Amino acid sequence: MKKTMLALTTLLVSNSALAASNSLPANCEYGRHAPYDLEAHQVQGAVKSGLEVFGNPYNPVAWVEFLENMSDLLDSFDYLRVETPKHVLRGSSFRAKGNLFDRYAYVNFHNSEKGYTGRDKSNLDANSYHYMSFNKTHGYGLVWITRGDLCSAEGVWVQNKPTVSDRGLTASGGLITAKVNYSVDKYSKAAKDSKTPVKLTITARSDGYNTRSSKTFTTTRTSGHYTLPIPAHAGGGIYDIKVTVHDGNYHQTLDMGSTWVKGPSVPPCEGCLEL
């Protein structure tokens, strides 16, 4: 597997007592798992930008020299590898995994916002785990693990959840129509990966029969207005409507309330399952 070896200067932080454990070591491997991930030479500016959104609250001193020298790509089969979600929610905990060769060995976990965040001893499968979060980063962040002289780093996109708001709900001729405004974060998978569409799903629940139907629409636009029609599957009666927007990893659901559909009700067929 192709890896980029990074020769890096010491990352200084305001707490000098933690300087050693907060530092991103020289020759730390930087992996790229998604086609829209950054090249090694782009990491410095992206991590710096992600922190500066909130005024760089953890006050690293040496961001200008954070990434200075890089060597050529090379093949490597080292015994330490970090694995993280590619997209994480700002302010939410996520799990990083340390994949190594040895059992019952301690692995130290770090990220570009807080430095050292904790450690875990590898289990029988030679894996270690640690929960962490990015609270003051919006954009690109870096997660790395160390064990002795070994180091493995991985970039993550720190994003906010999608948003969806009500623009109106109508019912006519057996068709229910919801209108919404929606938006997905610019660092979400749908925004970064051209192969991942934004999905908008309307769900209708019949109050009379407690049955559900849903319909999903896709779009390449990361924000705007959308109209979502769905047939009244149980005929006339009251329906509760919800709309969900999904960005490839995370979703947000809006309760649109209830609407009345004119006409006779249609009981569900015998043996039909609730959707």
Side-chain angles (χ1 to χ4, degrees):
M1 179 184 297
K2 292 289 184 181
K3 294 290 181 181
T4 303
M5 301 293 290
L6 303 182
L8 302 154
T9 59
T10 299
L11 170 59
L12 302 178
V13 293
S14 56
N15 187 346
S16 59
L18 293 178
S21 61
N22 280 352
S23 299
L24 182 61
N27 299 324
C28 194
E29 289 191 351
Y30 169 66
R32 298 177 66 228
H33 291 167
Y36 53 87
D37 276 348
L38 300 180
E39 298 285 354
H41 68 275
Q42 298 172 309
V43 173
Q44 173 191 356
V47 171
K48 182 173 183 289
S49 175
L51 277 173
E52 285 182 341
V53 171
F54 294 94
N56 207 355
Y58 291 94
N59 193 30
V61 177
W63 280 115
V64 174
E65 297 179 352
F66 182 56
L67 299 181
E68 204 170 56
N69 301 312
M70 289 155 287
S71 62
D72 295 331
L73 291 172
L74 52 85
D75 291 320
S76 176
F77 295 93
D78 287 341
Y79 297 123
L80 189 68
R81 194 79 67 240
V82 65
E83 298 176 17
T84 64
K86 186 49 54 187
H87 296 263
V88 301
L89 285 179
R90 184 174 63 83
S92 295
S93 179
F94 66 93
R95 190 177 75 168
K97 175 183 177 182
N99 193 340
L100 60 157
F101 180 75
D102 293 333
R103 299 172 180 174
Y104 311 120
Y106 278 107
V107 173
N108 299 309
F109 290 80
H110 314 71
N111 67 42
S112 52
E113 181 177 296
K114 300 177 181 177
Y116 175 76
T117 60
R119 68 174 186 165
D120 183 51
K121 183 184 288 187
S122 60
N123 58 22
L124 282 171
D125 296 322
N127 295 321
S128 57
Y129 301 92
H130 179 66
Y131 285 88
M132 64 175 69
S133 64
F134 286 92
N135 301 318
K136 300 294 184 178
T137 296
H138 186 219
Y140 204 66
L142 204 62
V143 175
W144 70 93
I145 58 175
T146 58
R147 175 177 172 260
D149 294 332
L150 296 177
C151 175
S152 175
E154 188 67 38
V156 297
W157 294 101
V158 185
Q159 64 163 95
N160 296 316
K161 292 185 70 172
T163 62
V164 56
S165 59
D166 191 342
R167 291 184 58 234
L169 181 64
T170 60
S172 178
L175 192 69
I176 302 167
T177 302
K179 296 182 179 181
V180 297
N181 294 324
Y182 75 94
S183 176
V184 301
D185 192 273
K186 63 181 179 180
Y187 300 116
S188 66
K189 186 176 182 181
K192 302 296 293 185
D193 183 5
S194 60
K195 295 181 180 179
T196 301
V198 176
K199 293 182 179 180
L200 294 113
T201 300
I202 180 172
T203 301
R205 183 183 70 85
S206 166
D207 271 8
Y209 299 110
N210 196 31
T211 55
R212 290 174 172 81
S213 62
S214 62
K215 189 175 181 181
T216 297
F217 302 82
T218 61
T219 177
T220 58
R221 296 179 58 193
T222 57
S223 65
H225 313 309
Y226 212 94
T227 299
L228 300 95
I230 188 171
H233 65 277
I238 298 175
Y239 288 82
D240 298 321
I241 308 300
K242 293 183 178 180
V243 172
T244 299
V245 57
H246 195 279
D247 67 7
N249 285 292
Y250 302 103
H251 70 275
Q252 188 74 269
T253 299
L254 172 67
D255 188 344
M256 299 281 292
S258 301
T259 188
W260 171 263
V261 175
K262 294 181 180 179
S265 63
V266 181
C269 63
E270 185 178 350
C272 287
L273 296 178
E274 181 180 321
L275 296 177

